[in-house]
Amino acid sequence: MRIQLLAFHLIILGILFSCNGSGPSQSKAKIEITRSQLSVGVNDVAILYLINKDKNEQTAVILDESSYSAQLNFGNWEFAVILWEGSGKINSELKCGRVSKKFSTESDSISIKVSQENCDDSFFSPSSFRYNGETKILTLGECGDLSTSTCSPTGGIQSFKVRFQSHSTTSTSLLSKIKKDEFITSDCLLIGGSSLSLPFGSQDFNPPLDIEAFSDDSCTNSFGNYFFPNGVANFNSQTDDFKIVSDSTSISIFFKTEAPAVGNQVGCLEDEVITGFSGRSGAWIDQLGSSCQIYQNGNLYGSSQTRDVLGGTGGDSFSEDCPPGSAVASLNYWDYSPFTGQIQFICKSITDYSVTYTSSTYGLSAYSLSTLTCPNGEFLRSLDYNEWDDGYGSKYVALIGPSYICR
């Protein structure tokens, strides 16, 4: 079995920061990271995880270029690599490597050996996710009822894709000159008939990934997104949308295929329709609320009311409404799992259903476009979304789901 050597050469430059001339208050290390081409094929896919063990912070970069530059705190760091060999995708053989290093001098270097055997330890996957020393294979299924011990497939999900994600940078890691918020995506895979070799994560290693499910066998018609922000191993119990089952050789994720209940949706009351949106946006949608107005017998009544404001306080505020006599008939939203990356809405007249207004686009991040469109003559009443708490005190608007109500 081929052992690969990824020689990440780190050139450390000591940098001292001072406040108001009072002397040095913080030390940093600037690194230059070079991906060696010694034995790494041009189609290999690799992710480098930079883990600050002193602050319990992690950042990932996708190694698709020759070099990266970053500025890191002096202190204790862990550098981990996961790599899929030869396909340019994440469907092939998994290899791993890691090294720990304490940076306290002005110059230093590391290199990381990558092999299949290195994946089979408690750092990349806990013992319950391994068998006979090897990481278990991931398989996916779908069923209508997750509360029973057996699963009866409904045929709601036919195919899926897995995406490993890079991390956004934080103020303390100060990464620079690297591509952020990128994705490595698998080929289109079939439910029940495909398996993957993946790192499942651990207490010290959080490889964020999401799985997009499709209702056809060609990954065209989106069914829903399932996000694992800290790796699959951190979701080892049943939830409303999926459950994880482990047998002797594999880890299986079963997705629930029933549509979300109406009670999970947010927006307007039963006798209202959405006439606009307000909230906050920046890199994605931080906060979202619906402007609602009574709609009865083909007419709008009264003044608009803002309902169901969800999300946090980041980004810049926005508020936009349809022209008088019109309401929201369709909504465009862009995936930035687990968040809604962008939104835009289209208003139509309540009298002749002609387009009266197309809103501005809010948010800056987009992966894939989806549209909620009401039937002819109807207007949007409610959506399927909620708050997403990142675990560090910030909240955002979760990815809008495929279920919605028009009237």
Side-chain angles (χ1 to χ4, degrees):
M1 183 170 297
R2 178 160 70 107
I3 301 294
Q4 292 176 308
L5 178 64
L6 297 185
F8 298 111
H9 304 295
L10 282 71
I11 304 171
I12 310 301
L13 303 176
I15 301 175
L16 299 180
F17 294 88
S18 62
C19 299
N20 300 321
S22 60
S25 62
Q26 189 177 27
S27 295
K28 301 287 183 182
K30 182 178 181 180
I31 66 172
E32 297 287 340
I33 307 171
T34 301
R35 173 176 173 170
S36 171
Q37 298 299 317
L38 294 176
S39 59
V40 181
V42 294
N43 292 321
D44 291 350
V45 172
I47 308 176
L48 170 65
Y49 295 86
L50 302 93
I51 304 166
N52 186 328
K53 299 175 71 175
D54 297 326
K55 296 181 177 292
N56 194 29
E57 292 179 348
Q58 176 178 291
T59 302
V61 286
I62 295 171
L63 299 176
D64 57 355
E65 295 182 355
S66 60
S67 64
Y68 297 90
S69 176
Q71 190 178 62
L72 306 178
N73 293 315
F74 283 169
N76 296 291
W77 286 83
E78 188 109 39
F79 298 88
V81 172
I82 57 174
L83 178 145
W84 291 270
E85 182 181 18
S87 68
K89 297 288 185 179
I90 63 174
N91 307 38
S92 54
E93 184 177 76
L94 174 69
K95 297 187 176 182
C96 308
R98 66 185 175 108
V99 64
S100 297
K101 190 74 175 181
K102 181 176 182 179
F103 295 122
S104 58
T105 61
E106 294 186 357
S107 63
D108 216 326
S109 64
I110 65 168
S111 61
I112 305 175
K113 293 182 178 180
V114 180
S115 71
Q116 184 178 2
E117 291 85 351
N118 287 345
C119 299
D120 302 321
D121 68 9
S122 58
F123 177 86
F124 290 101
S125 296
S127 59
S128 58
F129 283 69
R130 291 178 284 127
Y131 176 70
N132 283 344
E134 294 184 1
T135 303
K136 295 179 180 179
I137 298 297
L138 176 68
T139 61
L140 278 78
E142 55 89 27
C143 53
D145 188 358
L146 298 180
S147 63
T148 63
S149 58
T150 60
C151 175
S152 299
T154 66
I157 301 176
Q158 300 292 323
S159 59
F160 67 96
K161 289 183 178 180
V162 176
R163 287 198 296 262
F164 271 82
Q165 302 183 345
S166 66
H167 290 70
S168 298
T169 61
T170 65
S171 59
T172 51
S173 61
L174 296 175
L175 288 168
S176 61
K177 297 182 181 178
I178 61 174
K179 291 186 177 180
K180 312 174 190 69
D181 308 315
E182 295 182 305
F183 304 90
I184 290 178
T185 307
S186 72
D187 291 327
C188 182
L189 304 170
L190 296 179
I191 281 284
S194 302
S195 59
L196 294 172
S197 296
L198 304 178
F200 293 111
S202 67
Q203 181 178 354
D204 300 315
F205 177 54
N206 305 312
L209 64 91
D210 70 286
I211 298 173
E212 184 175 8
F214 299 86
S215 59
D216 63 327
D217 61 4
S218 59
C219 293
T220 301
N221 301 320
S222 181
F223 182 91
N225 282 78
Y226 306 87
F227 189 63
F228 300 81
N230 296 309
V232 173
N234 285 273
F235 288 79
N236 55 8
S237 60
Q238 181 173 329
T239 73
D240 291 338
D241 295 320
F242 58 86
K243 68 177 180 180
I244 297 178
V245 177
S246 176
D247 60 28
S248 61
T249 59
S250 66
I251 300 292
S252 298
I253 302 176
F254 290 99
F255 296 117
K256 187 175 182 179
T257 56
E258 296 176 349
V262 173
N264 293 334
Q265 297 189 352
V266 295
C268 300
L269 304 179
E270 289 185 359
D271 61 345
E272 298 175 335
V273 291
I274 297 176
T275 56
F277 291 95
S278 61
R280 305 184 69 86
S281 66
W284 45 75
I285 304 301
D286 296 88
Q287 184 187 95
L288 191 62
S290 302
S291 297
C292 303
Q293 197 169 353
I294 295 174
Y295 179 63
Q296 295 290 347
N297 301 319
N299 292 291
L300 292 170
Y301 297 95
S303 58
S304 63
Q305 303 291 324
T306 300
R307 305 196 187 282
D308 290 331
V309 178
L310 299 177
T313 58
D316 298 319
S317 62
F318 69 89
S319 180
E320 197 163 4
D321 292 309
C322 297
S326 59
V328 176
S330 63
L331 175 75
N332 296 324
Y333 64 96
W334 284 263
D335 178 346
Y336 193 65
S337 293
F339 316 126
T340 296
Q342 291 180 330
I343 62 166
Q344 178 191 54
F345 59 91
I346 297 171
C347 305
K348 291 189 177 182
S349 168
I350 63 171
T351 56
D352 62 6
Y353 213 61
S354 61
V355 174
T356 61
Y357 186 71
T358 299
S359 77
S360 302
T361 300
Y362 297 100
L364 300 174
S365 304
Y367 179 73
S368 61
L369 169 65
S370 298
T371 301
L372 308 180
T373 302
C374 291
N376 187 54
E378 295 186 11
F379 301 95
L380 194 63
R381 197 204 97 187
S382 63
L383 312 175
D384 175 22
Y385 70 89
N386 51 43
E387 287 182 347
W388 178 266
D389 190 334
D390 68 356
Y392 296 96
S394 298
K395 295 181 179 180
Y396 311 97
V397 174
L399 181 65
I400 294 174
S403 180
Y404 61 103
I405 294 176
C406 301
R407 63 180 302 271

